[in-house]
Amino acid sequence: MMPPFRVTPMIRNLVRAGALGAAAVLLFGSAAHAADIASLPHDLSPWGMFKNADIVVKVVMAGLALASLATWTVWLSKTVELRRETARARDGLAKLETDTTLAELGRSSGGAHDAVSQLIQTAAREGSLSGWTFDADFKDRVALRLERVEAAMARKIAGGTGILATIGAVAPFVGLFGTVWGIMNAFIGISEAHTTNLAVVAPGIAEALLATALGLVAAVPAVVIYNYLVRAIAAYRALLGDASAQVLLLVSRDRGRSARQMRAG
């Protein structure tokens, strides 16, 4: 039969020392954790994360914000311009439908600068240079002038839309670069702090992911607005094509009138 176990004073002292050591470790760990928490950025709003981000990530975010501003500026300016020029083109088409001559329309639209007036003026210019002699090649010369003016007006109305295509294609990759750079810095911070505490890691990763979010915010509207403007510009060019056809019909009518007058004379 085994003798009863006795708690000697030495064992009692060892137990007390172990308890005190464990309590000290816990207190030290709690103090270190509290210090880590105190050193973390408490403002995790978008503006707060921008201020606490690395300089490279800040540059990326600022560039994406400017790209987004440029997108909405182009949308506003081109929408206003397209609506104004489309309304002018419709008014010009209505004038071409009236019973008039190319010379009269050329004189009445002398001071106008809209696309249809430019088409009328270039055709009237060709008529003036030809002495209003409607020979066999006159209509071909007018058609060539109309094509050049139509192409110039289309290039003018499409100016500024190329930046939208560039932003839509490049912005996601710029945001991804900012995210990669930010996460790389976050992992470097983890290695230097010798801790994997989520409270320490999360702010840096959140700041990095904000760059990707800004990239999408800049790219998605740019692509949508670009497609909208492309369709609107195509509709405007169709109106210019109708106006060119109406001018050629007007030339044919003037040629017919000239031929009848010559036969009557």
Side-chain angles (χ1 to χ4, degrees):
M1 184 175 180
M2 295 181 60
F5 179 75
R6 295 182 179 179
V7 179
T8 63
M10 181 180 296
I11 295 176
R12 188 179 296 108
N13 291 334
L14 289 176
V15 171
R16 289 177 180 176
L20 290 175
V25 170
L26 290 175
L27 289 174
F28 178 77
S30 300
H33 179 70
D36 290 340
I37 296 299
S39 63
L40 292 178
H42 294 285
D43 187 6
L44 292 181
S45 63
W47 177 246
M49 288 189 289
F50 172 78
K51 291 191 297 183
N52 294 318
D54 183 77
I55 182 63
V56 176
V57 182
K58 283 184 179 179
V59 172
V60 169
M61 291 181 183
L64 291 173
L66 291 176
S68 181
L69 178 62
T71 296
W72 292 106
T73 302
V74 170
W75 168 76
L76 181 60
S77 62
K78 299 308 293 186
T79 300
V80 172
E81 183 182 2
L82 275 167
R83 289 183 178 179
R84 182 181 66 247
E85 295 300 325
T86 300
R88 289 179 177 178
R90 294 185 188 279
D91 293 339
L93 278 172
K95 293 179 181 178
L96 288 171
E97 292 287 349
T98 59
D99 186 13
T100 184
T101 63
L102 181 60
E104 293 174 353
L105 280 178
R107 288 191 295 269
S108 64
S109 62
H113 299 286
D114 60 283
V116 176
S117 296
Q118 293 293 321
L119 293 173
I120 295 171
Q121 290 169 20
T122 191
R125 176 64 176 169
E126 182 60 35
S128 177
L129 292 174
S130 302
W132 297 106
T133 301
F134 299 96
D135 55 12
D137 296 330
F138 177 72
K139 190 173 182 179
D140 294 335
R141 295 196 298 271
V142 171
L144 180 59
R145 281 178 171 267
L146 293 176
E147 288 178 4
R148 293 178 59 189
V149 173
E150 187 178 345
M153 293 296 104
R155 287 194 301 270
K156 179 182 177 182
I157 201 67
T161 58
I163 190 174
L164 297 177
T166 302
I167 291 173
V170 174
F173 297 101
V174 174
L176 182 61
F177 167 74
T179 298
V180 171
W181 188 274
I183 291 178
M184 181 179 65
N185 287 334
F187 280 115
I188 293 174
I190 292 172
S191 65
E192 292 177 350
H194 302 288
T195 179
T196 57
N197 191 343
L198 184 61
V200 178
V201 178
I205 295 178
E207 294 163 8
L209 292 177
L210 181 62
T212 297
L214 288 177
L216 294 176
V217 167
V220 173
V223 173
V224 174
I225 292 172
Y226 177 76
N227 291 332
Y228 163 75
L229 291 179
V230 165
R231 291 192 298 269
I233 291 171
Y236 175 73
R237 295 188 65 176
L239 284 177
L240 295 186
D242 293 341
S244 296
Q246 289 292 336
V247 171
L248 291 177
L249 288 175
L250 188 60
V251 169
S252 296
R253 288 197 295 268
D254 288 349
R255 185 178 180 182
R257 291 193 190 99
S258 178
R260 288 193 298 270
Q261 290 174 359
M262 291 179 62
R263 287 196 298 269

